[in-house]
Amino acid sequence: MFHRWRIGFSGRAITNKPLQEKIQNLQCHFTWQFEKQDKLDVAHTMKKVTFQIAHTPYHNRGTFITMKAYLHQLQGAYDEALRSLQEAEAVLKQDHSTNFSGQALVTYGNYAWIYYHLSNYDMVEFYLGKILRICQSLISPQPYSVLIPEVYAQKGWSLLAVGFRNGEEAKECFRMALKGDKCNKEFQAGLAFSLFASWTHSWRTDIWKEARRLMEEVVHHHSKNAEAKVYLARLLQRKDTERAHCLVDDAVQSSLNPEVLRNAAKVYEAQSLSRAISILQQAIVLDPSYHLLHYDLGICYKKQMAKASPEDRKEILEAAIESFKQAVETNSPSVFGRLNLAKMYGEKCSAFEEEIYQNLVDELPNVTKRCQQAIYLYWGDFLLYKKGLKHEALEMYKAGFEISDVQNWEQQQLKDRLQNMATIFQEEYKINTT
């Protein structure tokens, strides 16, 4: 039975500043600032966390279940959040019977925050008391915070679950965890995964080398780790295609994790779109509700269409449209799914394409920075190539480029468009002045 809330006369939670100051010092999901670089996609993160809980080969299920409670709270589902924390406690006791207190710090912190949001201050005090006693036993200089390897690792796994854009920060978390427990295989795997995540956003050679070395070690020590095999395959796909494909094929045969299969398909995209499509279809059978599987399948059909003969093109176009429709139906806020659906509709009818873009422009304030850039990019291209509105397209490209200085595909494309527009206007100026 859950101890729920006291609500003030306005219907909003009553605040308690002394308690608020204490819980802000806790080490837990509510204080880790997951939105430093971009907005948190709660629904997508929930999906990834659910996959990790079901398929992780490490004793970190408790971390992901605790994070699930945080995500439930963000959705306003307090009963589900509290149930998740009860489940996390049970799992932590089972997986870490000799070190439960250190492992439970983050879970207790989440309890305190959720009960604070529910204005149940007696329960907040109860969990703060638990945290205080653990910190005192670990001789922490702070009454409600202690940075031990277990906490660093839980933060690292949580950052990766939010998105690979957090690879650098996650990497530092696992480095700190390993300082206190250098032989811990889970922490070593976390560092390898973090380096891989960092490489996917930087493409730096030094990070690639370290990520490959550590991922090789993870695969060597844990030969059934399908996730590590796929990441290693992606690191090797340009250097050793044959081995990359062998690693992927082994992972695809042994894994029931749709996210692992989705990443496995990416390895084949460059050499064999038909094989990539086959893997994604296999993953969809496992989880038809996962929108990114349908989205990636649509991307494969889109690439196939670019190389197809005229007689095959129509059939592939219909398959692409159907895949992107499924991506949107399983996750209606999916910006990239809707953008690509618009692009495919545009092959048949520009009116449908324009309508989708206009709806997305209206939603700009509510989406992530990267999604905003993508909307400006696609809308600008439509204005330029379908409407012939050069000045209006230029304004869209400028607006998108100025959103962020983070280097990603959209940012580079917007930069290329601006340079192209500058060339066009310079040539027009020369023509008009001669």
Side-chain angles (χ1 to χ4, degrees):
M1 181 177 176
F2 301 133
H3 302 271
R4 294 213 64 183
W5 60 82
R6 302 192 302 271
I7 298 294
F9 292 112
S10 66
R12 297 177 64 186
I14 303 166
T15 58
N16 183 314
K17 287 188 177 179
L19 278 184
Q20 190 177 55
E21 290 175 2
K22 290 178 182 178
I23 64 174
Q24 284 172 346
N25 290 316
L26 300 177
Q27 289 294 327
C28 66
H29 293 98
F30 289 86
T31 61
W32 284 341
Q33 300 181 25
F34 293 113
E35 295 189 339
K36 282 182 183 177
Q37 295 190 47
D38 212 337
K39 290 182 181 179
L40 173 63
D41 185 337
V42 177
H44 176 52
T45 305
M46 182 73 82
K47 197 75 172 177
K48 289 177 66 178
V49 165
T50 301
F51 289 147
Q52 288 289 355
I53 293 167
H55 300 286
T56 179
Y58 300 104
H59 286 166
N60 58 358
R61 286 186 304 145
T63 298
F64 295 119
I65 299 170
T66 297
M67 186 174 190
K68 196 173 183 180
Y70 166 70
L71 297 170
H72 277 310
Q73 189 277 330
L74 292 180
Q75 295 174 323
Y78 290 95
D79 283 342
E80 288 86 348
L82 291 169
R83 270 192 286 272
S84 291
L85 291 177
Q86 286 185 339
E87 183 185 353
E89 279 190 281
V91 168
L92 288 172
K93 286 176 181 176
Q94 176 185 326
D95 290 349
H96 301 280
S97 57
T98 60
N99 184 29
F100 171 73
S101 60
Q103 290 285 344
L105 276 167
V106 175
T107 305
Y108 291 157
N110 278 14
Y111 262 125
W113 267 93
I114 289 170
Y115 278 121
Y116 182 83
H117 282 293
L118 294 171
S119 300
N120 190 332
Y121 300 135
D122 290 340
M123 292 304 294
V124 177
E125 292 280 16
F126 175 77
Y127 283 102
L128 283 174
K130 283 178 172 284
I131 294 167
L132 176 62
R133 288 189 289 276
I134 295 170
C135 289
Q136 288 174 338
S137 71
L138 294 170
I139 319 176
S140 171
Q142 302 295 325
Y144 299 105
S145 177
V146 59
L147 288 169
I148 55 178
E150 294 85 352
V151 171
Y152 277 120
Q154 289 190 43
K155 184 176 181 180
W157 288 121
S158 300
L159 286 163
L160 290 177
V162 168
F164 274 11
R165 64 180 178 273
N166 297 315
E168 275 295 301
E169 190 178 355
K171 178 184 72 175
E172 294 309 311
C173 289
F174 285 112
R175 287 201 195 284
M176 294 301 295
L178 284 163
K179 282 185 178 180
D181 189 356
K182 63 182 180 180
C183 295
N184 189 300
K185 298 301 182 189
E186 177 199 322
F187 299 171
Q188 290 169 357
L191 179 58
F193 289 5
S194 300
L195 283 160
F196 172 74
S198 180
W199 172 73
T200 64
H201 280 67
S202 68
W203 309 112
R204 283 170 43 187
T205 303
D206 58 327
I207 294 178
W208 178 87
K209 287 179 179 178
E210 189 177 7
R212 177 186 174 176
R213 177 178 63 80
L214 293 180
M215 204 69 73
E216 292 274 16
E217 291 178 7
V218 173
V219 171
H220 175 72
H221 291 295
H222 202 303
S223 60
K224 294 183 180 180
N225 191 329
E227 185 177 6
K229 286 181 180 179
V230 169
Y231 292 159
L232 180 57
R234 289 187 63 183
L235 288 162
L236 293 174
Q237 66 186 103
R238 293 184 181 178
K239 298 284 186 179
D240 189 345
T241 304
E242 184 177 352
R243 183 161 178 241
H245 287 175
C246 285
L247 286 163
V248 165
D249 290 341
D250 190 35
V252 168
Q253 288 175 11
S254 62
S255 180
L256 296 176
N257 185 342
E259 182 68 3
V260 167
L261 298 186
R262 188 175 80 86
N263 281 299
K266 291 183 183 296
V267 178
Y268 269 106
E269 271 188 34
Q271 285 85 23
S272 175
L273 281 167
S274 60
R275 176 63 173 142
I277 288 169
S278 175
I279 294 171
L280 288 168
Q281 289 171 335
Q282 178 181 337
I284 289 170
V285 171
L286 293 171
D287 190 344
S289 69
Y290 188 23
H291 70 285
L292 285 183
L293 298 175
H294 298 287
Y295 174 81
D296 284 4
L297 184 58
I299 292 296
C300 287
Y301 286 132
K302 185 178 174 183
K303 291 179 177 179
Q304 262 194 345
M305 195 174 72
K307 302 175 182 178
S309 62
E311 53 269 21
D312 293 334
R313 201 171 186 276
K314 183 178 179 181
E315 183 180 349
I316 297 172
L317 173 60
E318 292 302 324
I321 289 174
E322 183 58 31
S323 292
F324 289 127
K325 282 173 66 177
Q326 287 294 318
V328 173
E329 286 175 11
T330 50
N331 183 34
S332 56
S334 174
V335 169
F336 286 96
R338 291 155 73 190
L339 286 171
N340 278 279
L341 179 59
K343 193 78 172 176
M344 294 298 96
Y345 274 144
E347 295 286 325
K348 301 167 66 176
C349 176
S350 60
F352 287 155
E353 182 179 12
E354 184 173 8
E355 182 182 350
I356 293 174
Y357 292 150
Q358 288 176 337
N359 289 335
L360 284 166
V361 169
D362 291 340
E363 297 172 21
L364 274 167
N366 303 318
V367 302
T368 66
K369 292 178 182 178
R370 187 183 173 199
C371 286
Q372 288 176 12
Q373 288 185 306
I375 292 168
Y376 280 121
L377 175 63
Y378 277 71
W379 182 228
D381 284 352
F382 181 84
L383 292 173
L384 180 61
Y385 298 113
K386 296 285 182 78
K387 295 282 191 178
L389 301 172
K390 287 179 285 193
H391 290 279
E392 290 83 348
L394 175 62
E395 290 304 311
M396 295 303 103
Y397 297 145
K398 285 172 61 179
F401 185 76
E402 291 169 359
I403 287 170
S404 172
D405 58 0
V406 175
Q407 292 303 310
N408 55 39
W409 186 85
E410 289 75 23
Q411 182 80 349
Q412 185 60 50
Q413 291 297 309
L414 287 162
K415 181 180 178 180
D416 292 344
R417 299 295 196 282
L418 287 171
Q419 291 173 340
N420 183 52
M421 295 301 291
T423 301
I424 291 172
F425 284 121
Q426 285 172 359
E427 291 175 352
E428 287 186 353
Y429 177 77
K430 288 178 182 178
I431 292 170
N432 291 333
T433 54
T434 56

